Amino acid sequence: AAAPASLLALALALRTLNCFLVQTSFVPDEYWQSLEVAHRMVFRSVLNIHNYGYLTWEWTSNLRGYSYPLIFASMYKALQLLAKDNVQLLIWVPRLAQAVLAAFADVKLYSLVQHLENSETAKFVFFCQLCSWFTWYSCTRTLTNTMETILTIFALSYYPIKGSKMGNSCKYLALVAIAIIIRPTAVIPWMPLVFSHFLQEQRKADLILHNCIPVGLITVGTSLIIDRVFFGEWVLVQLNFLKFNVLQNLGTFYGSHPWHWYFTQGLPVVLGPHLPFFIHGCARAPRRFRILLLALIWTLLVYSTLSHKEFRFIYPVLPFCMIFCGYSLRYLKAWKKTAASFLLLSNLVPALYTGLVHQRGTLDVMAHIQQLCNHSQQSQAFVFILMPCHSTPFYSHVHCPLKMRFLQCPPDLSGNASYVDEADVFYSNPLGWLNKEFYNDTLLPSHLILFNVLEQEISSFLALRGYEKTATIFHTHVPQGRVGSHISIYRRKTEMNH
């Protein structure tokens, strides 16, 4: 049963609007593991500038693969060939592409439930999916987690749930394999699902020989070839990624949380106002959907064993939850309208606040930096971002070979116990670090970008070296630690007077 075309039109319109109503930063990976890499792939060779584009330590350590950035690199290449590679299009085209994919995924979720149950239940699931604040916040971002979630929904629509006539082993396994190539952790939610399919499959040997092995060989082979082209050597990045994050557990470098975090904070926050409906739906949904609940619990348990935890890691199982929420709404007889209105309004506030207000400064500041590209003194400009590392996007949001620098923070991979990264060294004594780093006036940056919490500490350096504040940009209502409520842009006066 196909979803009506009107639903697709609605989803496309809504996700396009969604795309433009998300103007805040979430995590650095959104740019540094996708757009920044893609920008470097396309434009570094064109201008033949050695340092045009930056690869984070994950790339120099072969932990990431080029398959995902290649999607955006193709868009950039097309824009460049059409002579339309202006910075606004470079920023928005990849996001719009994600929005279109997200809309198709929303409709796939509808079709799946409509096929297994009926149109009424499918409409409630579709409604829950569209008004989920976290989906709104994440689904148009260029994160690997976003693509993993979209591919998971597509794969689920071909997965042989009991009673499904849509099941197609080859299609769902191929989609799962692509998700694993893009983000190896996609293997986690699919382990119980694939295992359950294997147990109920009569022709087990056929499944392995005719589906699993060919799909695995083709996807891994393609990924290996793509990475061979761009790394210049044979690398199995998926293995390196799992080794680093799971076996060595080096993700703790980016912070650690208690084991129960996903159950007490992660899932409740991601579900938001959907939480009571999810719990109710778990009790009401038919038995055959238990496998999805099992996959969800299994995913939370596996992620709980890793000390570094983030909301986005469990985003791929959020669509599973929406199926249960849809069942809950369907069974709320007299309360249907009230419940739907509650869900819509209570999700609207966090969706709009996190999309338009919270943490927007680090993206807004890029427009100010970009203006230096049109300046006659572009060649003399030197921008130093004195913020926690990777706070802002980089060349993908500037698109000109401006001299830029930021504080580095790669984890120590050599096992040195006394290792401290550059950002930590700077924050332990900002004034001392600046005076030592810029002992000679000729080395000074023309522009400094910093959070307002740092101003007091380095005010003497700014005054002495002739820096004046040229702009203040709002960032967040909840400043924490090194992250201030506003971002200040300083320009060196003497620079411009020569």
Side-chain angles (χ1 to χ4, degrees):
S6 58
L7 274 190
L8 181 60
L10 171 69
L12 281 167
L14 207 77
R15 291 301 177 208
T16 306
L17 177 69
N18 184 168
C19 175
F20 292 111
L21 289 180
V22 174
Q23 298 180 21
T24 53
S25 61
F26 180 11
V27 284
D29 277 12
E30 189 178 343
Y31 321 104
W32 292 88
Q33 309 301 352
S34 55
L35 302 185
E36 192 58 34
V37 182
H39 189 271
R40 189 176 192 267
M41 286 159 80
V42 174
F43 297 106
R44 186 188 182 193
S45 54
V46 176
L47 291 158
N48 208 359
I49 295 168
H50 177 61
N51 64 350
Y52 192 26
Y54 182 91
L55 291 183
T56 60
W57 63 272
E58 287 102 327
W59 295 88
T60 48
S61 305
N62 300 355
L63 289 187
R64 298 278 184 163
Y66 279 97
S67 305
Y68 185 54
L70 188 60
I71 301 169
F72 302 116
S74 319
M75 296 175 198
Y76 284 173
K77 192 71 195 167
L79 286 170
Q80 187 211 348
L81 293 172
L82 294 167
K84 289 274 182 280
D85 58 324
N86 69 57
V87 72
Q88 287 305 319
L89 285 176
L90 293 184
I91 292 170
W92 289 105
V93 167
R95 303 252 342 243
L96 279 165
Q98 291 283 174
V100 170
L101 281 174
F104 276 99
D106 295 337
V107 175
K108 269 286 183 219
L109 196 60
Y110 171 89
S111 303
L112 167 75
V113 182
Q114 183 195 27
H115 168 77
L116 287 169
E117 291 294 315
N118 52 41
S119 295
E120 191 199 7
T121 313
K123 275 183 183 144
F124 285 121
V125 171
F126 184 68
F127 173 78
C128 289
Q129 169 75 356
L130 289 185
C131 70
S132 154
W133 82 270
F134 193 80
T135 301
W136 177 274
Y137 183 59
S138 310
C139 76
T140 63
R141 296 182 183 276
T142 50
L143 279 164
T144 48
N145 312 85
T146 301
M147 193 57 103
E148 183 193 347
T149 307
I150 287 167
L151 288 166
T152 293
I153 295 176
F154 281 123
L156 200 59
S157 68
Y158 297 112
Y159 177 77
I161 294 179
K162 284 192 183 100
S164 167
K165 308 247 184 336
M166 305 269 280
N168 183 320
S169 302
C170 209
K171 278 187 185 170
Y172 102 80
L173 287 168
L175 288 158
V176 171
I178 296 166
I180 293 168
I181 293 299
I182 286 174
R183 192 169 177 86
T185 48
V187 74
I188 299 168
W190 282 99
M191 276 160 100
L193 291 164
V194 173
F195 186 62
S196 159
H197 172 210
F198 180 74
L199 290 181
Q200 68 186 30
E201 181 66 51
Q202 265 91 48
R203 302 188 302 261
K204 291 182 172 44
D206 279 6
L207 178 68
I208 291 174
L209 292 171
H210 297 154
N211 292 318
C212 297
I213 292 175
V215 161
L217 288 174
I218 292 168
T219 46
V220 173
T222 308
S223 165
L224 275 170
I225 292 164
I226 290 170
D227 289 332
R228 171 78 180 82
V229 169
F230 293 103
F231 279 118
E233 58 181 321
W234 293 104
V235 183
L236 188 58
V237 288
Q238 290 75 24
L239 193 66
N240 294 347
F241 182 91
L242 289 170
K243 204 160 71 180
F244 176 88
N245 286 301
V246 181
L247 303 177
Q248 296 173 297
N249 203 3
L250 286 169
T252 48
F253 181 80
Y254 295 111
S256 56
H257 299 81
W259 68 268
H260 54 75
W261 188 84
Y262 283 116
F263 293 95
T264 53
Q265 288 173 57
L267 190 65
V269 167
V270 166
L271 274 170
H274 283 75
L275 184 61
F277 299 96
F278 167 68
I279 295 166
H280 176 235
C282 288
R284 296 309 309 241
R287 282 187 65 126
R288 59 174 163 204
F289 284 108
R290 298 257 171 92
I291 183 65
L292 297 183
L293 192 57
L294 180 73
L296 168 71
I297 294 165
W298 161 259
T299 304
L300 295 181
L301 286 171
V302 172
Y303 273 126
S304 295
T305 62
L306 304 174
S307 42
H308 178 59
K309 299 173 172 67
E310 290 187 39
F311 293 115
R312 65 191 172 106
F313 294 168
I314 55 169
Y315 175 37
V317 290
L318 189 58
F320 295 11
C321 302
M322 292 304 133
I323 292 175
F324 293 102
C325 295
Y327 268 101
S328 169
L329 280 186
R330 185 192 151 185
Y331 284 105
L332 291 172
K333 295 191 168 54
W335 293 94
K336 268 193 187 74
K337 279 211 168 93
T338 315
S341 307
F342 165 77
L343 268 180
L344 189 62
L345 294 170
S346 58
N347 276 281
L348 196 62
V349 177
L352 291 175
Y353 181 76
T354 55
L356 291 170
V357 183
H358 180 60
Q359 296 184 356
R360 67 170 295 148
T362 49
L363 287 185
D364 289 344
V365 78
M366 298 315 289
H368 288 261
I369 297 176
Q370 213 276 323
Q371 284 165 9
L372 296 173
C373 294
N374 315 327
H375 207 281
S376 54
Q377 279 139 328
Q378 183 203 318
S379 53
Q380 277 96 46
F382 169 21
V383 178
F384 198 159
I385 301 164
L386 286 175
M387 291 171 156
C389 64
H390 306 129
S391 288
T392 63
F394 217 45
Y395 285 106
S396 63
H397 282 54
V398 176
H399 194 47
C400 78
L402 200 61
K403 187 181 176 189
M404 296 198 288
R405 183 181 161 188
F406 61 93
L407 297 167
Q408 309 271 350
C409 62
D412 171 51
L413 302 174
S414 64
N416 171 8
S418 58
Y419 171 79
V420 186
D421 67 57
E422 185 182 44
D424 282 341
V425 173
F426 167 77
Y427 277 105
S428 63
N429 179 8
L431 196 58
W433 189 92
L434 287 168
N435 286 325
K436 190 173 154 195
E437 189 74 12
F438 303 112
Y439 57 87
N440 184 331
D441 275 13
T442 56
L443 303 170
L444 285 167
S446 62
H447 293 75
L448 290 175
I449 292 170
L450 48 120
F451 281 118
N452 57 343
V453 284
L454 194 63
E455 283 176 317
Q456 199 80 48
E457 238 175 310
I458 62 166
S459 55
S460 58
F461 173 85
L462 295 170
L464 208 63
R465 299 297 200 283
Y467 283 98
E468 61 177 350
K469 194 192 290 197
T470 56
T472 302
I473 299 159
F474 171 78
H475 182 60
T476 176
H477 288 120
V478 277
Q480 283 176 317
R482 298 170 179 180
V483 177
S485 61
H486 289 75
I487 295 170
S488 304
I489 301 179
Y490 281 87
R491 189 186 66 185
R492 194 152 176 258
K493 285 190 287 234
T494 50
E495 275 289 318
M496 305 301 165
N497 299 337
H498 286 323

